[in-house]
Amino acid sequence: HEGILSTGIEYALARLLSVGQITVAELYVYHKAIDDTVDTLLTRSRTEAKIAKIVFEINKLNVLRNIWEESQELRLLHCHTETPSPQSSGSAIRIPELRFTRGQ
């Protein structure tokens, strides 16, 4: 919590010290207490952000799992390509389970 926040804490403590609200002996205790409180709040905020990101990623994984499960239920045809022979001019795709008929 560097920068403005730290400067603000130091200013507030200096102000309390200058108007006699705290003594020099209490200065370290107040500074340490405020620092610890700010650290706790920032840590909690960062932790909550990490948890929110984890929840988001879990939701994405659940969507992918559902898509995967739905795709497993489909009856997909298995296919493969064959290496062209020296006599052929190109490669072929073989789908053994596919049957094609025309008309009735």
Side-chain angles (χ1 to χ4, degrees):
H1 58 85
E2 296 175 15
I4 294 175
L5 188 57
S6 182
T7 304
I9 292 169
E10 289 173 3
Y11 174 78
L13 290 174
R15 181 77 177 136
L16 290 172
L17 186 62
S18 70
V19 295
Q21 294 294 316
I22 61 174
T23 65
V24 174
E26 298 170 322
L27 185 61
Y28 176 77
V29 174
Y30 279 104
H31 192 275
K32 184 69 175 154
I34 292 170
D35 270 352
D36 289 349
T37 302
V38 170
D39 284 343
T40 300
L41 294 174
L42 291 177
T43 300
R44 182 176 177 182
S45 177
R46 288 183 194 119
T47 303
E48 287 173 348
K50 287 179 185 177
I51 290 171
K53 183 173 180 166
I54 290 170
V55 168
F56 177 74
E57 296 298 327
I58 288 171
N59 289 337
K60 285 192 336 187
L61 288 172
N62 284 332
V63 168
L64 289 173
R65 184 193 66 213
N66 292 338
I67 292 170
W68 176 262
E69 287 174 354
E70 290 173 7
S71 73
Q72 297 294 5
E73 295 170 3
L74 299 175
R75 296 191 66 220
L76 302 176
L77 297 174
H78 298 283
C79 63
H80 63 277
T81 58
E82 292 183 350
T83 308
S85 64
Q87 310 81 301
S88 69
S89 60
S91 60
I93 296 177
R94 299 284 180 205
I95 307 174
E97 294 87 15
L98 181 63
R99 304 288 180 254
F100 176 77
T101 60
R102 291 182 74 175
Q104 303 262 349

